[in-house]
Amino acid sequence: MGVLDRFERRLEGLVSGAFARAFKAEVQPVEIASALQRECDDRAAIVSRGRTMVPNDFVIELGPHDHDRLAQYEEALAREFAGVVHEHAAEQRYQFVGPVTVKFNRAEELETGMFRVRSRVVAGVMPLSEPEVSQVNSWLEINGRQQPMSKSVVVIGRGSEGVDLRIDDPGVSRRHAEIRAGFTTTITDLGSTNGTIVNGQLISQVALEDGDEIVLGNSVMIYRRNPN
């Protein structure tokens, strides 16, 4: 599942009522998300071997109608758009010089359904490592029992080292899969022998939603998450 697919799936959890009706007009969030990715690609600058810098400050310019329609959701959308930029940068091995910010601006000359993305590099304080994201509201149901997940990254496997959740199943690899919390919660197969299956599909990485069924070897578990 790609960055835009994960974005659309996350957005489904945000969109309801008036929010959903707002997105029936011409400018769609996924169009803006795709434009943010292209902006990063178009403005990527190789500054040294293995180091490619991209903009981190983005302004989305919208015509009056679209701006009035979407501005009331700016905080939620900006957070999701920043997540798209981070995920795309991670996939392409891009780097930032400061935190990623996304804002909306009104552009009187733009017609309904049209938008522009402007970007720039703004230096700022970056964390030395990714912040820990709690999964205390998430757990796995395994054979009727609840297994809480309180770490930002939970490695599942049969081994005794480097594993946070051990499953005694010959069909499970020593380090089989990991569940990682972030802008979205994902499960990633760690090169296991028998693969990781989510909702009947063999996956390499996929976003998790409440109620998803995960199969590792002969073991079946259900991912559960309370709404924040």
Side-chain angles (χ1 to χ4, degrees), residues 6 16 27 47 52 63 76 78 81 90 97 100 130 133 136 176 180 201 211 223:
R6 294 195 293 271
S16 62
V27 173
V47 295
T52 302
F81 287 142
V97 300
V100 174
E130 293 185 8
V133 180
V136 293
H176 196 111
R180 179 181 295 268
Q201 300 293 320
Y223 175 75

Side-chain angles (χ1 to χ4, degrees), residues 15-54:
V15 176
S16 62
F19 200 6
R21 291 193 295 273
F23 291 149
K24 291 181 180 179
E26 290 83 352
V27 173
Q28 299 293 321
V30 70
E31 295 175 327
I32 297 174
S34 179
L36 289 168
Q37 288 184 330
R38 291 196 302 272
E39 185 74 6
C40 287
D41 294 337
D42 292 344
R43 300 201 56 195
I46 300 174
V47 295
S48 63
R49 185 175 180 179
R51 191 178 183 208
T52 302
M53 308 302 296
V54 293

Side-chain angles (χ1 to χ4, degrees), residues 158-217:
R158 183 169 49 87
S160 57
E161 297 182 2
V163 170
D164 302 297
L165 177 57
R166 185 175 182 274
I167 299 180
D168 189 11
D169 179 338
V172 173
S173 297
R174 292 184 179 276
R175 295 181 80 254
H176 196 111
E178 72 173 23
I179 297 177
R180 179 181 295 268
F183 290 101
T184 187
T185 298
T186 60
I187 183 169
T188 303
D189 184 82
L190 299 177
S192 66
T193 301
N194 295 316
T196 298
I197 298 173
V198 177
N199 297 330
Q201 300 293 320
L202 187 66
I203 62 95
S204 57
Q205 184 184 74
V206 71
L208 286 175
E209 298 292 340
D210 180 53
D212 283 351
E213 180 186 78
I214 303 167
V215 178
L216 308 182

